């Protein structure tokens, strides 16, 4: 195949797969009510996300640690035998550790944030319940005849 023929084939392929931009939007006339979208995340949904993040953290910690230790041992063995591949595998093992830490930090952040949010909402509910209860108690004691 000649170079010119290769260039023609690349140009033809690029023309067929040219990047096009498409904006997704809600059609102007939906009819019905005025709701915007249908994204709903309930307590059970958020709890499931938090549990999945925690489970991934626990499982990935164990499995990635095993892979890191095994790879480091293989790298050491290869380097000891004079293979250049040993240094490359050692580099990959270091990067694996860095990437693993990033993923585990993200999982912990998600899990901890959802736990904090759950506790904060419970505290808010308790505070609001107490405030409404105290208002109701004050309202019961209000005397319309005296104006206070």
């Amino acid at each position: 195949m000649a170079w010119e023929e290769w260039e023609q084939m690349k140009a033809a392929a690029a023309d067929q797969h040219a990047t096009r931009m498409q904006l997704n939007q809600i059609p102007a006339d939906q009819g019905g009510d005025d709701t915007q979208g249908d994204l709903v995340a309930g307590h059970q949904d958020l709890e499931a996300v938090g549990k999945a993040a925690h489970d991934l953290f626990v499982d990935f910690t164990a499995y990635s640690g095993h892979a890191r230790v095994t790879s480091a041992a293989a790298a050491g063995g290869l380097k000891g035998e004079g293979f250049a591949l040993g240094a490359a595998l050692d580099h990959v093992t270091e990067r694996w550790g860095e990437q693993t830490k990033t993923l585990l930090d993200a999982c912990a952040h998600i899990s901890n944030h959802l736990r904090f949010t759950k506790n904060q909402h419970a505290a808010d509910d308790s505070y609001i319940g107490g405030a409404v209860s105290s208002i109701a108690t004050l309202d019961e004691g209000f005397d319309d005849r005296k104006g206070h």
Side-chain angles (χ1 to χ4, degrees), residues 109-132:
H109 181 74
I110 290 167
S111 180
N112 292 341
H113 180 71
L114 289 172
R115 186 179 309 113
F116 170 81
T117 301
K118 177 184 172 185
N119 292 339
Q120 187 62 47
H121 283 241
D124 290 346
D125 285 347
S126 177
Y127 172 78
I128 291 168
V132 168

Side-chain angles (χ1 to χ4, degrees), residues 25-37:
Q25 62 186 13
I26 297 174
D29 185 16
Q30 284 285 308
D33 60 11
D34 291 335
T35 59
Q36 293 287 332

Side-chain angles (χ1 to χ4, degrees), residues 19-99:
T19 304
R20 294 181 183 94
M21 187 158 114
Q22 174 183 344
L23 298 176
N24 295 328
Q25 62 186 13
I26 297 174
D29 185 16
Q30 284 285 308
D33 60 11
D34 291 335
T35 59
Q36 293 287 332
D38 60 357
L39 178 62
V40 176
H43 175 71
Q44 289 179 335
D45 298 322
L46 297 176
E47 198 170 271
V49 170
K51 182 180 180 336
H54 180 265
D55 291 348
L56 178 60
F57 180 89
V58 170
D59 291 344
F60 196 71
T61 298
Y63 297 130
S64 69
H66 176 70
R68 185 183 47 76
V69 168
T70 304
S71 297
L78 288 168
K79 282 196 296 190
E81 295 293 322
F83 290 99
L85 182 60
L89 184 55
D90 197 34
H91 175 75
V92 169
T93 302
E94 287 177 26
R95 293 288 296 152
W96 175 261
E98 293 166 7
Q99 296 298 318

